[in-house]
């Protein structure tokens, strides 16, 4: 069953989450490139202070400003922003209280760190607020500055709490700018303009965390998007051979004959090589069977899924563009 909320027509904020090690930041960057293709302008945002975007695009650490980092296929532009909670709080103080100089003084006193440590929900409001402001921002001509914003969000285990900002700050403020700001952020995050995409691998733990994350997002009333199945490996053998290898150990006899006929090996060497190959076939078949089961589990979530290939040479800039092209050709952007 496909989710009813997988129409990307109205989506302007693409939130990307996933278990650590699944390639979440890489997929977010590739998605930004795919969305920018054809002359669009896209902002890629990170909020965890890891400078992951700079590493992927082979750039120095990003400052707290929106900066062009890549040109997408057919001329689109990707800008990037590494959100710094302290700078975001200074902007917040200036925006709502006109007290940026006072905010600098508070920073020196350590109050900013104190506030965001004692009330981590407030920190999330600051960074999500900066992201949603970019979604809403318009130029002098009345048009949106960015055609889309991609947020490289925290891991799946805390994504629902991170995005559910109204609940997180409920105990901090009942009235006033903080409450109004959180409700403005919440209005974007829970609207049709937002979709939360999940990145996973075809392995038990990432798949289970993805399914748990989908459940938490839905319980919180947050809009789910699609599932990106990353690092997918094509099967190297016909399905019939895989089925045989799963049911019983692959018979190396035919491999011995094939190796001899091809002149690759003979005698004891052919037998040893055939047995090693048979073992490889059995392991490959077992992995393929497990991946098929994990794929079926993901299908039960009712979200559209897209396969992204495992890149043999790793993810460099060329690989990033290859992933972006895969996302585009599958209609995910």
């Amino acid at each position: 069953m496909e989710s009813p909320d997988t129409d990307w027509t109205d989506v302007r904020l693409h939130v990307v989450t996933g278990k650590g090690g699944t390639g979440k930041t890489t997929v977010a960057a590739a998605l930004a490139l795919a969305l920018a293709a054809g002359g669009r302008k896209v902002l890629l945002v990170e909020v965890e202070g890891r400078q992951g975007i700079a590493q992927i695009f082979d750039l120095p650490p990003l400052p707290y400003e929106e900066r062009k980092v890549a040109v997408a296929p057919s001329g689109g532009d990707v800008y990037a922003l590494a959100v710094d909670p302290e700078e975001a709080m200074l902007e917040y103080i200036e925006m709502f209280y006109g007290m940026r100089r006072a905010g600098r003084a508070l920073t020196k006193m350590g109050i900013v760190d104190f506030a965001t440590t004692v009330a981590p929900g407030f920190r999330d409001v600051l960074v999500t607020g900066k992201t949603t402001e970019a979604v809403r921002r318009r130029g002098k001509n009345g048009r949106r500055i960015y055609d889309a914003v991609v947020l490289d969000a925290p891991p799946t285990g805390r994504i629902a709490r991170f995005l559910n900002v109204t609940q997180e700050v409920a105990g901090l403020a009942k009235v006033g700018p903080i409450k109004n700001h959180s409700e403005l952020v919440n209005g974007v995050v829970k609207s049709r303009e937002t979709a939360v995409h999940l990145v996973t691998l075809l392995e038990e733990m990432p798949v289970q965390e993805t399914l748990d994350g989908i459940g938490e997002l839905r319980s919180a009333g947050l809009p789910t998007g699609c599932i990106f199945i990353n690092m997918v490996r094509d099967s190297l053998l016909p399905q019939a051979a895989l089925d045989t290898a799963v049911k019983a150990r692959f018979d190396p006899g035919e491999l011995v004959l094939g190796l001899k006929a091809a002149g690759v090996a003979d005698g004891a060497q052919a037998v040893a090589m055939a047995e090693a190959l048979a073992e490889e076939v059995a392991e490959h078949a077992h992995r393929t069977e497990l991946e098929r089961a994990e794929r079926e589990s993901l299908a039960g979530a009712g979200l559209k899924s897209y396969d992204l290939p495992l890149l043999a040479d790793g993810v460099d800039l060329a690989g990033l563009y290859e992933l972006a092209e895969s996302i585009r050709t599958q209609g995910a952007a």
Side-chain angles (χ1 to χ4, degrees), residues 119-122 124-125 160-172:
F122 184 45
D124 290 346
V125 169
R161 187 173 70 253
F162 171 77
L163 292 174
N164 202 16
V165 292
T166 299
Q167 181 175 334
E168 288 298 307
V169 300
L172 298 177

Side-chain angles (χ1 to χ4, degrees), residues 53-134:
I53 294 174
Q55 294 174 34
I56 286 176
F57 287 101
D58 195 22
L59 297 169
L62 295 172
Y64 182 59
E65 63 182 42
E66 293 161 25
R67 176 172 294 187
K68 184 175 175 179
V69 295
V71 176
S74 304
D77 292 325
V78 175
Y79 285 72
L81 172 66
V83 177
D84 177 81
E86 182 176 293
E87 290 294 332
M89 186 168 186
L90 292 175
E91 281 189 358
Y92 176 90
I93 291 171
E94 180 179 31
M95 183 184 306
F96 293 104
Y97 299 102
M99 297 171 60
R100 188 172 183 85
R101 185 172 298 177
R104 292 289 181 190
L106 292 175
T107 299
K108 291 179 180 179
M109 294 170 62
I111 293 178
V112 172
D113 289 337
F114 175 77
T116 56
T117 300
V118 173
F122 184 45
R123 179 189 185 281
D124 290 346
V125 169
L126 293 174
V127 296
T128 53
K130 182 64 178 177
T131 305
T132 55
E133 182 276 326

Side-chain angles (χ1 to χ4, degrees), residues 238-319:
Q239 190 60 49
L242 294 174
D243 291 341
T244 300
V246 168
K247 293 175 183 176
R249 191 176 185 280
F250 197 81
D251 183 6
E254 293 185 11
L255 291 174
V256 172
L257 294 176
L259 290 170
K260 289 180 178 180
V264 175
D266 202 356
Q269 184 183 18
V271 173
M273 187 177 294
E275 288 180 346
L277 287 172
E279 188 68 29
E280 289 288 336
V281 170
E283 291 180 5
H284 178 69
H286 181 63
R287 175 179 60 77
T288 302
E289 188 70 12
L290 291 176
E291 288 180 350
R292 184 193 305 175
E294 298 301 341
R295 191 180 288 277
E296 290 175 357
S297 296
L298 290 171
L303 296 183
K304 181 79 173 176
S305 65
Y306 302 97
D307 287 0
L308 299 180
L310 174 66
L311 302 177
D313 297 327
V315 183
D316 54 10
L317 276 176

Side-chain angles (χ1 to χ4, degrees), residues 13-225:
L13 175 57
H14 297 261
V15 180
V16 180
T17 184
K19 179 177 168 53
T22 59
K24 169 179 68 71
T25 300
T26 298
V27 173
L31 178 60
L33 280 170
L35 288 166
R40 304 178 84 212
K41 186 177 180 180
V42 174
L43 178 65
L44 175 61
V45 181
E46 70 173 349
V47 296
E48 296 183 278
R50 295 185 296 105
Q51 289 290 337
I53 294 174
Q55 294 174 34
I56 286 176
F57 287 101
D58 195 22
L59 297 169
L62 295 172
Y64 182 59
E65 63 182 42
E66 293 161 25
R67 176 172 294 187
K68 184 175 175 179
V69 295
V71 176
S74 304
D77 292 325
V78 175
Y79 285 72
L81 172 66
V83 177
D84 177 81
E86 182 176 293
E87 290 294 332
M89 186 168 186
L90 292 175
E91 281 189 358
Y92 176 90
I93 291 171
E94 180 179 31
M95 183 184 306
F96 293 104
Y97 299 102
M99 297 171 60
R100 188 172 183 85
R101 185 172 298 177
R104 292 289 181 190
L106 292 175
T107 299
K108 291 179 180 179
M109 294 170 62
I111 293 178
V112 172
D113 289 337
F114 175 77
T116 56
T117 300
V118 173
F122 184 45
R123 179 189 185 281
D124 290 346
V125 169
L126 293 174
V127 296
T128 53
K130 182 64 178 177
T131 305
T132 55
E133 182 276 326
V135 175
R136 301 190 313 270
R137 194 188 312 156
R138 297 179 184 272
K140 293 180 179 179
N141 59 3
R143 297 182 57 185
R144 301 283 183 105
I145 296 294
Y146 292 105
D147 295 293
V149 175
V150 178
L151 172 60
D152 178 20
T156 320
R158 71 182 192 93
I159 187 62
R161 187 173 70 253
F162 171 77
L163 292 174
N164 202 16
V165 292
T166 299
Q167 181 175 334
E168 288 298 307
V169 300
L172 298 177
K174 304 297 183 182
V175 295
I178 295 178
K179 177 177 173 59
N180 295 338
H181 182 56
S182 66
E183 289 181 346
L184 187 62
V185 172
N186 194 61
V188 174
V189 168
K190 289 192 174 181
S191 73
R192 291 178 58 85
E193 286 192 310
T194 298
V196 184
H197 310 301
L198 300 100
V199 181
T200 189
L201 307 179
L202 288 176
E203 298 173 4
E204 182 179 1
M205 289 184 64
V207 167
Q208 187 56 57
E209 188 162 318
T210 297
L211 296 174
D212 292 343
I214 292 169
E216 291 174 4
L217 289 167
R218 286 173 171 165
S219 295
L222 294 162
T224 52

